[in-house]
Amino acid sequence: MLASLKGKSVIVTGGSQGIGLGISLAFARAGAFVTIAARGEEAGANAVEEIALAGGAGQFLQCDVTQWQAVKAIVDETANENGLDIICANAGIFPKQTIEEMEPEQWDHVLDTNLRSSFYCVKAALPHMKEAGQGRIILTSSITGPITGDAGWSHYAASKAGQLGFMRTAALELAPHKITVNSVLPGNIRTEALDDLGDAYLKKMGQTIPLGRLGAPQDVASAVLFLASEEAGYITGQQIVVDGGQVLPEGLEAPD
Ligand code: NAP
């Protein structure tokens, strides 16, 4: 049994749907106060309602994570009003585009949303966590990039591998302040964005997963909550793969 997260203040970027919503609900059920940061107000309001229905407490703050001033503003507001114990840099996008057809602006947009935003979250949280003498930072990376390649996602893979390079150095810089920086690497998790890739994709990927199913946001949330826990206080600069064994097979055939 892990120590309680009751009363902790957590920011989850991209917490309005998909994996981020799963993370937000898990923290809320554990008694934390959850600040959801994303662009869409309607989805954000719905997510806060879901948190309330689950018996938790939270708020939505509108934020585009590609904008430094916007990230700094919501982190400062949260920290000043509720304190800041944990930040989950989770917001991300994965539009499919081959290198041959990709425009430089499309590359930049994915790198800005997925990687630059991680730097912004850590930089904005640092002064508050440093002052508090503790903190937990968890990045949502992916198996794609750090472990695997996937045709059509070169920009995405680069951003997700980049998050891990950034994480290792951030972990070293922040360790003297008792702030840990870790990552989760999801495999294929059923979210709105994954559903957009179509039924054929979902079926094909599901067949390659040794544990026999696509992941659920809650699967990722469980690993995030562990990394945010008091018990994970001696773990930093590390990654947890949450993929049902997806990266284990040596061949292309679906496992028996
Ligand atoms: P999703 O269902 O599309 O949710 C993405 C969330 O990020 C939404 O809340 C979205 O809200 C927010 N977001 C996107 N761009 C943003 C921006 N510029 N500023 C602020 N918020 C923004 O995606 P998901 O599948 O849950 O993915 C979440 C994270 O998990 C991503 O980092 C993704 O790379 C990673 N991941 C997912 C999978 C998977 O299989 N699903 C696998 C590996 C890794 P708004 O659009 O309203 O801003």
Side-chain angles (χ1 to χ4, degrees), residues 58-99:
Q59 64 175 346
F60 170 70
L61 295 180
Q62 194 173 34
C63 173
D64 179 345
V65 294
T66 67
Q67 303 301 312
W68 162 241
Q69 289 302 338
V71 175
K72 185 177 173 343
I74 64 108
V75 170
D76 287 349
E77 183 178 335
T78 303
N80 293 337
E81 288 179 12
N82 302 296
L84 180 62
D85 301 292
I86 304 152
I87 184 163
C88 300
N90 166 83
I93 53 172
F94 39 99
K96 188 173 184 182
Q97 191 63 274
T98 60
I99 296 166

Side-chain angles (χ1 to χ4, degrees), residues 12 14-29 36 50 90 191 216-222 224-225:
V12 183
S16 58
Q17 66 175 51
I19 291 174
L21 178 57
I23 293 170
S24 299
L25 286 168
F27 272 116
R29 289 194 189 103
I36 290 173
E50 272 200 62
N90 166 83
T191 64
Q218 179 58 50
D219 294 318
V220 182
S222 299
V224 170
L225 256 66

Side-chain angles (χ1 to χ4, degrees), residues 43-244:
N46 291 341
V48 171
E49 213 172 291
E50 272 200 62
I51 284 177
L53 286 172
Q59 64 175 346
F60 170 70
L61 295 180
Q62 194 173 34
C63 173
D64 179 345
V65 294
T66 67
Q67 303 301 312
W68 162 241
Q69 289 302 338
V71 175
K72 185 177 173 343
I74 64 108
V75 170
D76 287 349
E77 183 178 335
T78 303
N80 293 337
E81 288 179 12
N82 302 296
L84 180 62
D85 301 292
I86 304 152
I87 184 163
C88 300
N90 166 83
I93 53 172
F94 39 99
K96 188 173 184 182
Q97 191 63 274
T98 60
I99 296 166
E100 197 171 18
E101 300 198 334
M102 193 185 301
E103 296 299 330
E105 297 73 28
Q106 292 173 305
W107 170 276
D108 285 346
H109 183 51
V110 169
L111 269 287
D112 285 354
T113 307
N114 298 356
L115 178 57
R116 184 185 283 261
S117 62
S118 298
F119 158 61
Y120 287 168
C121 287
V122 171
K123 186 171 171 59
L126 176 54
H128 302 289
M129 292 182 170
K130 192 173 160 183
E131 197 184 337
Q134 55 98 33
R136 295 276 189 276
I137 298 172
I138 298 125
L139 313 179
T140 304
S141 175
S142 174
I143 57 170
T144 308
I147 301 177
T148 65
D150 206 353
W153 278 284
S154 62
H155 46 1
Y156 179 75
S159 73
K160 294 290 155 179
Q163 281 182 299
L164 296 192
F166 170 68
M167 170 193 76
R168 293 190 188 100
T169 296
L172 282 175
E173 289 190 19
L174 275 55
H177 309 297
K178 309 283 175 278
I179 303 165
T180 66
V181 191
N182 292 290
S183 290
V184 286
L185 278 59
N188 278 234
I189 310 296
R190 273 308 284 275
T191 64
E192 289 82 344
L194 199 77
D195 284 350
D196 286 347
L197 299 176
D199 286 344
Y201 177 89
L202 296 183
K203 191 165 170 228
K204 193 178 87 187
M205 293 316 293
Q207 285 167 347
T208 68
I209 297 173
L211 283 176
R213 65 172 175 88
L214 293 165
Q218 179 58 50
D219 294 318
V220 182
S222 299
V224 170
L225 256 66
F226 168 66
L227 291 171
S229 71
E230 200 178 308
E231 286 79 358
Y234 199 56
I235 300 172
T236 195
Q238 301 305 313
Q239 61 213 47
I240 299 180
V241 175
V242 186
D243 73 341

Side-chain angles (χ1 to χ4, degrees), residues 26-48:
F27 272 116
R29 289 194 189 103
F33 181 82
V34 183
T35 298
I36 290 173
R39 294 165 304 176
E41 283 187 88
E42 197 181 329
N46 291 341
V48 171

